[in-house]
Amino acid sequence: MFRTALRNVLAHKARLLMTVLAVMLGVAFVAGTLVFTNTISDAYQKSSAKGFDQVDVAVRPTYQDSEGDKVGKLSDLTQATLDKAAEVPGAASATGVVGGFTAVAGKDGKLVGGDWQSNGGNYWGTNDARYPLVGGHAPHGAGEVLLDSRTAKRAGYRVGDTVRLSVNGPVLTPTLAGIFTTDDGNVSAGGSLALFDTPTAQALFGKKGTYDEIDVKAAAGTSQTALKARLDKALPAHQVKTTTARQLADDQAKQIAASMSGLKQALLVFAGIALFVGTFIIANTFTMLVAQRTRELALLRAVGASRRQVTRSVLTEAFAVGAVAGVAGLAAGVGIGAGLRSLLGSFGASVPDGPLVISPGTVVAALAVGILITMLAAWLPGRRAAKIPPVAAMSSVHAKATTKSLVLRNTLGALFAAAGVAVVLAATSMDTDSAQGPMGIGAVLLIIGVFILTPLLSRPLIAAAAPVLRAFGVSGKLARQNSVRNPRRTAATASALMIGLTLITGLTVMAGSLQTAIDKMASSAIRADYVVSMANRSPLSPDVATKIAATDGVTASSPLRNAESRIDGKTEFLTGVDGSSIGKLTDLKVDEGSFTVSGTRVVVDKDRAKEYGWTPGSHFTAHFEDGKARQLTVAGVYEGNDMINGIMLDDKVLTPHLKDPADMQVMVKTADGASDATKTRLTKALGTNPAIKIQDKQDISNSIAQIFTTMLNMLYGLLGMAVIVAVLGVINTLAMSVFERAQEIGMLRAIGLDRKAVKRMVRLESLVISLFGGVLGIGLGVFFGWAAGQLLGTKMPTYELVLPWARMAVFLLLAGAVGVLAALWPARRAARLNMLAAIKAE
């Protein structure tokens, strides 16, 4: 039986080719994902480990939790703490570390490095071992800066040049004193690093006289553990926390692994979708292969083969196909992993240097997935073939499904579909966080139900295409009859395409509806012409708001200054605004009271008013970070949104309580409205700073839209794998169907059907099946898009369902194009059949 199974694999190489390709694509996606994420994780871990070469124990401040009326804050690492750490026995040296966001502009005025990878720090003394100098000298005073060698090369800077940079808004123009090398992972990944002398860095990053961290180097013969124990004794435990470099490296490795875990899971989900679609093809292929060899299998049964042996022979074939697909998929996956790493560069990101990581786990996973998926999909056809009595198989009595089996299938499909719809509808009325699980379960149940019901649905939906097919004469009539001749086969072929289009349509519906909601939110909530913020959303210096207010043409402006406070024992963030201008800059719906921000009169959003039981006229006490308290009065309750919410009070009341005031953004209203001239004027007033974004309402919507568009295009690309697998399924089904109907096609040719008509018949059959899958997929996608939108609508009042009719029409056309392209080879093969040889074929 084993030899027979291998002989059958070799005898049907061409027929199994598409199945091998389908499995290979899914396996390649899995292997590529594992290679890519393992490579990135390994590169970052090795890079971060190098960053701990100059530290044995790190001393960090502890966070003093918010309690009662006390606002939580980090403890201070002062010069005294540094001196005490340096004097600990076994400590060779102690280095104070200060850092923060620092945007460096190239000579072309554009930001160097990514928005989130532009960092700054302090250079310790005149010879910092962390950053070896390759040119120039250590920085001295606020007028000098160092740049890493990669940034200097990209920006075109040389020692002695004037560098344009910004830390929190105002433009600084220090001289480039020197260039250094570093193993910093962010720099290796395309970011930038600028270094100042320690006093300058402390002043720029709001750490005057204090440090973010103290790195202690152990003397020769002192272990990291021993040094940590001595530091723990010498330093106050309630103010600092000590960690060995080994532990820091391990923690960093865990953080990197955790951050890559989400990406890995997301990519594996799409690989799973491709494999799920591939199972339809495998099951379809083996069902047809088994059907074509029914008499052969019956003969084996008649000469003594048992049911188990017949089933095992089919599974042996599947094992061979899966093993070949697994090996090929692993090889392709290594290429995909390398390609994905290179692709990051095209998105403006790169990763630290490192080798491609192909772990034993990746190899085992690829082979296991390929073999197990193929054998699992082939098991049911093999079991079904083994159950057919030899005599019945010889006379083909088994060919048609019984009425009982069809009734059972339709009943089961209806139950699954009804349960899926019920669970999805129930999830739409739940809380967003708790609804995700039920929504996913309901979606899976509904897709399974529709798949089971597809043979039943195929007849009326394909019959609806009859009037169009009549225009193609005999070819159209035959195509329609062939499409419904074997509903199960048509269902499996169409379902593969249906799943891909369901996901693509659902994502498109959600993205379009979200974009419309964001546009409405921006236009309805903001009256300001511009919103000014840092490129990475870090805090702005108060100087920015001052410069904007003094700019010609500005009629109203207000900073949005955030600060932590304690109210009724809970932590709440207050937003300080210009009370006289905020009403001119926003257009928020007021539910109760008036939108008045003046003195101690504040406005609160509806959610917080409900949480605390506040109404206009209510009084509450806010405790600020300096330990002082102020009684505030609620003047009005407004409807907040994702852009503007919380408690707003006059910044004249808030600012005196803040040690280092900083604004998250500044809203601006101008006399001439939003225009290129006005934007240019504001840009010049802020020193043409690359670190600052000046956005009008459309810019805000577009920036958010760009995020959605980028994500959507990536998801389209990932789901495209499932569509490619579905195309292979259509080709495979049609090719095997042509082989199965060779005698029939030969007879049609003999009675006058020419080659052109035969090609047209196969193409129309493929077109009908593909459009059938497309209609089901788009319908399910719209339903899932609507259901997900119901959840989003609870968090976003401006959300409403927007159906992208144009895109859905394109998706349907693409489904049709898939059918036409998939039929090219099978149609050509059918037309080239020798009619006499085909008639004599069994």
Side-chain angles (χ1 to χ4, degrees):
M1 291 301 294
F2 181 74
R3 287 197 301 272
T4 301
L6 291 181
R7 186 203 66 193
N8 283 326
V9 171
L10 296 174
H12 301 117
K13 293 189 292 290
R15 297 184 225 171
L16 291 169
L17 177 62
M18 296 300 173
T19 301
V20 171
L21 286 173
V23 180
M24 185 197 78
L25 284 173
V27 171
F29 211 154
V30 172
T33 296
L34 295 175
V35 169
F36 171 66
T37 52
N38 289 342
T39 297
I40 300 298
S41 295
D42 182 71
Y44 271 113
Q45 285 171 17
K46 287 180 178 177
S47 177
S48 64
K50 289 179 183 177
F52 298 121
D53 288 346
Q54 299 301 321
V55 54
D56 287 304
V57 179
V59 180
R60 293 174 173 174
T62 57
Y63 185 78
Q64 311 298 316
D65 292 331
S66 303
E67 293 180 359
D69 299 330
K70 183 181 177 183
V71 176
K73 63 177 181 178
L74 282 172
S75 58
D76 290 330
L77 293 181
T78 62
Q79 186 64 37
T81 309
L82 175 68
D83 294 339
K84 192 177 290 186
E87 294 169 359
V88 168
S93 64
T95 303
V97 179
V98 183
F101 173 74
T102 303
V104 177
K107 289 191 173 181
D108 58 359
K110 295 181 180 179
L111 185 67
V112 180
D115 292 350
W116 303 94
Q117 296 174 320
S118 302
N119 296 314
N122 67 309
Y123 189 85
W124 191 253
T126 56
N127 186 20
D128 194 330
R130 299 172 300 168
Y131 308 111
L133 289 173
V134 293
H137 58 80
H140 299 291
E144 293 187 340
V145 69
L146 302 181
L147 288 180
D148 69 87
S149 56
R150 296 189 187 205
T151 300
K153 184 178 180 179
R154 279 184 295 161
Y157 285 127
R158 295 182 180 182
V159 174
D161 288 348
T162 298
V163 179
R164 288 175 57 80
L165 55 84
S166 176
V167 170
N168 59 357
V171 175
L172 304 176
T173 54
T175 300
L176 183 60
I179 296 172
F180 63 91
T181 59
T182 178
D183 292 322
D184 188 301
N186 281 328
V187 174
S188 300
S192 64
L193 181 61
L195 299 178
F196 310 89
D197 68 6
T198 299
T200 302
Q202 289 175 321
L204 289 174
F205 301 124
K207 294 284 183 179
K208 291 182 180 178
T210 64
Y211 303 96
D212 294 322
E213 182 178 307
I214 296 171
D215 292 341
V216 186
K217 187 75 175 169
T222 303
S223 68
Q224 292 184 357
T225 306
L227 180 59
K228 178 183 183 303
R230 292 169 187 172
L231 286 167
D232 286 339
K233 284 184 180 179
L235 302 177
H238 66 283
Q239 289 185 348
V240 301
K241 178 184 178 183
T242 60
T243 312
T244 63
R246 191 176 298 109
Q247 184 62 50
L248 288 173
D250 291 342
D251 291 345
Q252 188 88 321
K254 289 178 183 177
Q255 289 176 8
I256 292 169
S259 65
M260 294 303 296
S261 175
L263 175 62
K264 182 187 289 188
Q265 289 176 6
L267 291 174
L268 287 176
V269 164
F270 289 101
I273 292 168
L275 286 167
F276 182 58
V277 171
T279 58
F280 293 123
I281 299 171
I282 301 165
N284 229 8
T285 301
F286 277 93
T287 298
M288 295 172 75
L289 283 173
V290 168
Q292 291 168 11
R293 289 164 32 214
T294 298
R295 292 189 179 184
E296 175 190 327
L297 295 174
L299 184 60
L300 289 173
R301 290 288 312 283
V303 296
S306 67
R307 287 184 176 181
R308 286 186 179 179
Q309 285 179 311
V310 171
T311 303
R312 279 202 296 267
S313 72
V314 175
L315 291 178
T316 301
E317 292 179 50
F319 177 87
V321 171
V324 171
V327 171
L330 176 61
V334 173
I336 289 174
L340 285 173
R341 177 175 172 172
S342 300
L343 189 64
L344 285 178
S346 64
F347 288 107
S350 57
V351 295
D353 297 329
L356 208 61
V357 178
I358 307 168
S359 67
T362 300
V363 176
V364 171
L367 294 177
V369 165
I371 292 169
L372 291 177
I373 291 292
T374 309
M375 292 183 70
L376 183 65
W379 175 76
L380 191 58
R383 184 171 175 272
R384 192 184 298 135
K387 290 176 69 176
I388 300 169
V391 175
M394 291 288 191
S395 58
S396 299
V397 173
H398 67 287
K400 292 185 179 180
T402 62
T403 304
K404 181 180 178 182
S405 69
L406 290 174
V407 170
L408 180 63
R409 177 178 181 129
N410 294 338
T411 302
L412 189 63
L415 290 173
F416 266 97
V421 171
V423 173
V424 169
L425 292 177
T428 59
S429 60
M430 296 181 183
D431 179 70
T432 306
D433 295 329
S434 59
Q436 294 176 6
M439 182 75 77
I441 293 171
V444 171
L445 288 174
L446 179 54
I447 288 176
I448 292 173
V450 171
F451 168 65
I452 297 173
L453 286 172
T454 305
L456 178 67
L457 298 172
S458 64
R459 290 188 177 276
L461 288 177
I462 292 176
V468 178
L469 292 174
R470 284 198 199 102
F472 296 94
V474 175
S475 296
K477 183 178 180 181
L478 290 172
R480 184 181 65 80
Q481 291 174 346
N482 289 334
S483 301
V484 295
R485 177 186 295 184
N486 191 330
R488 290 184 177 181
R489 183 189 303 167
T490 298
T493 307
S495 294
L497 191 58
M498 175 193 78
I499 292 170
L501 283 177
T502 295
L503 296 169
I504 289 173
T505 305
L507 289 170
T508 305
V509 169
M510 286 179 60
S513 300
L514 276 171
Q515 184 54 49
T516 302
I518 291 164
D519 288 342
K520 284 187 175 181
M521 187 185 299
S523 60
S524 63
I526 300 174
R527 286 181 182 169
D529 295 319
Y530 292 101
V531 175
V532 179
S533 64
M534 291 293 284
N536 72 333
R537 300 296 177 188
S538 61
L540 283 163
S541 165
D543 291 347
V544 173
T546 303
K547 287 182 179 179
I548 288 174
T551 303
D552 290 340
V554 173
T555 57
S557 66
S558 172
L560 270 64
R561 185 165 297 168
N562 285 3
E564 189 178 344
S565 71
R566 296 286 287 177
I567 298 173
D568 292 348
K570 296 180 182 179
T571 298
E572 283 290 350
F573 281 89
L574 305 175
T575 302
V577 298
D578 185 318
S580 61
S581 301
I582 192 66
K584 303 171 187 176
L585 300 166
T586 59
D587 190 18
L588 299 166
K589 182 182 177 183
V590 179
D591 290 341
E592 299 177 81
S594 62
F595 198 84
T596 303
V597 181
S598 177
T600 58
R601 292 169 62 79
V602 304
V603 292
V604 301
D605 65 6
K606 186 165 61 176
D607 291 340
R608 282 168 181 77
K610 183 178 179 181
E611 180 182 353
Y612 289 99
W614 292 336
T615 58
S618 296
H619 302 285
F620 64 92
T621 301
H623 298 265
F624 301 100
E625 67 176 43
D626 62 354
K628 296 180 180 179
R630 193 78 178 264
Q631 188 180 65
L632 305 174
T633 303
V634 177
V637 178
Y638 68 93
E639 288 190 12
N641 53 52
D642 289 341
M643 299 181 74
I644 301 175
N645 57 56
I647 302 170
M648 292 190 205
L649 75 161
D650 199 308
D651 59 4
K652 293 184 181 67
V653 175
L654 178 64
T655 303
H657 299 286
L658 305 181
K659 179 181 178 182
D660 295 304
D663 305 325
M664 292 312 296
Q665 57 189 29
V666 179
M667 304 179 79
V668 187
K669 186 79 173 172
T670 62
D672 300 329
S675 66
D676 291 340
T678 303
K679 189 171 184 178
T680 301
R681 193 159 56 243
L682 288 171
T683 302
K684 288 181 178 178
L686 296 175
T688 315
N689 192 332
I692 293 180
K693 286 184 178 179
I694 301 174
Q695 298 175 296
D696 60 20
K697 286 184 279 191
Q698 191 58 50
D699 290 333
I700 294 170
S701 294
N702 290 343
S703 64
I704 299 172
Q706 188 176 8
I707 297 171
F708 283 131
T709 302
T710 302
M711 289 179 62
L712 200 60
N713 289 338
M714 289 177 63
L715 293 174
Y716 281 164
L718 295 170
L719 289 172
M721 184 71 74
V723 175
I724 291 172
V725 173
V727 172
L728 292 175
V730 177
I731 295 172
N732 209 21
T733 301
L734 287 172
M736 298 189 73
S737 179
V738 166
F739 178 83
E740 193 178 62
R741 302 198 320 254
Q743 191 176 51
E744 174 190 318
I745 292 171
M747 189 67 70
L748 289 170
R749 291 288 317 283
I751 61 173
L753 197 68
D754 60 18
R755 289 185 174 182
K756 189 178 290 185
V758 170
K759 285 184 181 180
R760 190 183 302 123
M761 175 187 73
V762 176
R763 288 171 186 161
L764 288 173
E765 180 183 348
S766 176
L767 179 64
V768 167
I769 292 173
S770 298
L771 288 175
F772 169 53
V775 169
L776 288 180
I778 291 171
L780 283 173
V782 169
F783 176 70
F784 291 139
W786 167 83
Q790 292 296 106
L791 289 179
L792 292 172
T794 60
K795 297 285 186 180
M796 191 178 289
T798 55
Y799 184 91
E800 64 178 45
L801 181 67
V802 176
L803 294 180
W805 294 106
R807 287 205 175 190
M808 289 193 295
V810 170
F811 295 157
L812 196 58
L813 287 174
L814 287 175
V818 163
V820 173
L821 292 173
L824 291 178
W825 177 61
R828 186 167 177 268
R829 185 181 178 190
R832 294 180 66 185
L833 283 174
N834 183 294
M835 67 180 77
L836 295 179
I839 290 171
K840 288 190 294 181
E842 291 190 11

